[in-house]
Amino acid sequence: MLELVDVRAGYGRTEVIHGVSVTVPSDGVAAVMGHNGAGKTTLLRAAVGLLPISSGKILFDGQDISGLRPAARVARGLAYVPQGQQSFGQLTCSENLQVVADGRRNGKELVADMLDLFPALVPLLDRRAGLLSGGQRQQLAIARALITEPRMLILDEPTEGIQPSVVAEIENTIVELSRSGDLGVLLVEQHIGFALDNAHHYYVLESGRVTSTGDGGADAATTVRAAMAI
């Protein structure tokens, strides 16, 4: 389980996150929603150690990891897929996977597992990642993160700029992984339907504060839309 407890963080003297608490189950999905500038990405960067917190705690499996560097958090079982379908553009799809797998004892098997999860990548293995579509790069980015065998996957806007058919594929993969009981997911998402359909619990951020929280599911959409005033 990942817990962010009364976390405050920001950039320089500017505090962006003001005492936010979020709990992500070890076998389910927690969704964080909000408009651009609400502080969602800042919250994720703090969770993975890319941004120091000024107060509060970050707990993983009950242990305080607030002072750990990002690599140490990855070693504990966190994986982060940032916004923007990031990849090594000059490397092929296969090389993007292999560069992560090379550091794993069972790297070959892990790559094979990822290609089972994302079969659309199979015919693209020899293509440079920079030539892939946004949806293909996003699947590649998630596959690369999963090769680290995380117990907690942190996704920042995984559906942004992606065609609906690929969104459905990514959604199915997230659901399959979380239902296996071996992976928790912290999902930042503006696509309300996608987020609530998959989340066990949701949080709405506005100006760096949680303004609404509750159980996920389609029935929560009205409450969330009201909280976001859309």
Side-chain angles (χ1 to χ4, degrees):
M1 177 185 292
L2 178 65
E3 298 176 85
L4 284 70
V5 184
D6 199 24
V7 167
R8 293 178 179 271
Y11 304 91
R13 296 182 179 181
T14 303
E15 186 174 272
V16 177
I17 298 298
H18 313 289
V20 169
S21 295
V22 170
T23 298
V24 189
S26 58
D27 58 352
V29 180
V32 177
M33 294 171 284
H35 295 296
N36 289 334
K40 305 184 301 298
T41 294
T42 299
L43 185 69
L44 296 195
R45 288 174 57 83
V48 297
L50 294 173
L51 187 68
I53 63 174
S54 56
S55 67
K57 292 182 179 180
I58 299 173
L59 306 175
F60 189 43
D61 289 342
Q63 297 185 336
D64 191 343
I65 62 170
S66 306
L68 295 183
R69 293 180 179 275
R73 300 189 196 196
V74 171
R76 292 287 184 96
L78 294 184
Y80 176 45
V81 180
Q83 189 177 13
Q85 305 110 35
Q86 296 186 18
S87 62
F88 299 110
Q90 295 302 311
L91 299 182
T92 66
C93 182
S94 178
E95 289 168 340
N96 267 270
L97 297 174
Q98 197 61 47
V99 74
V100 182
D102 283 345
R104 316 295 299 183
R105 175 180 53 81
N106 54 338
K108 184 176 181 179
E109 291 79 5
L110 288 169
V111 169
D113 289 343
M114 292 309 102
L115 296 178
D116 286 339
L117 276 177
F118 297 102
L121 296 178
V122 174
L124 305 171
L125 289 175
D126 293 328
R127 185 176 300 180
R128 287 187 180 181
L131 301 178
L132 301 179
S133 70
Q136 291 164 345
R137 286 197 306 273
Q138 188 64 283
Q139 291 180 80
L140 177 61
I142 296 173
R144 290 177 62 232
L146 291 173
I147 286 176
T148 67
E149 299 181 281
R151 291 182 293 119
M152 183 65 59
L153 180 63
I154 299 176
L155 300 171
D156 192 357
E157 301 278 10
T159 70
E160 183 183 36
I162 295 176
Q163 64 189 47
S165 62
V166 180
V167 169
E169 292 176 17
I170 292 174
E171 180 175 17
N172 291 337
T173 300
I174 292 172
V175 170
E176 180 181 342
L177 291 170
S178 64
R179 286 180 177 173
S180 71
D182 298 326
L183 185 73
V185 179
L186 174 56
L187 171 69
V188 156
E189 183 58 67
Q190 290 198 56
H191 189 310
I192 291 177
F194 177 89
L196 294 178
D197 285 349
N198 296 290
H200 294 75
H201 206 78
Y202 73 84
Y203 301 83
V204 175
L205 281 189
E206 182 178 348
S207 300
R209 293 180 171 85
V210 174
T211 58
S212 180
T213 182
D215 293 333
D219 293 342
T222 300
T223 301
V224 170
R225 291 183 184 279
M228 296 176 63
I230 58 175

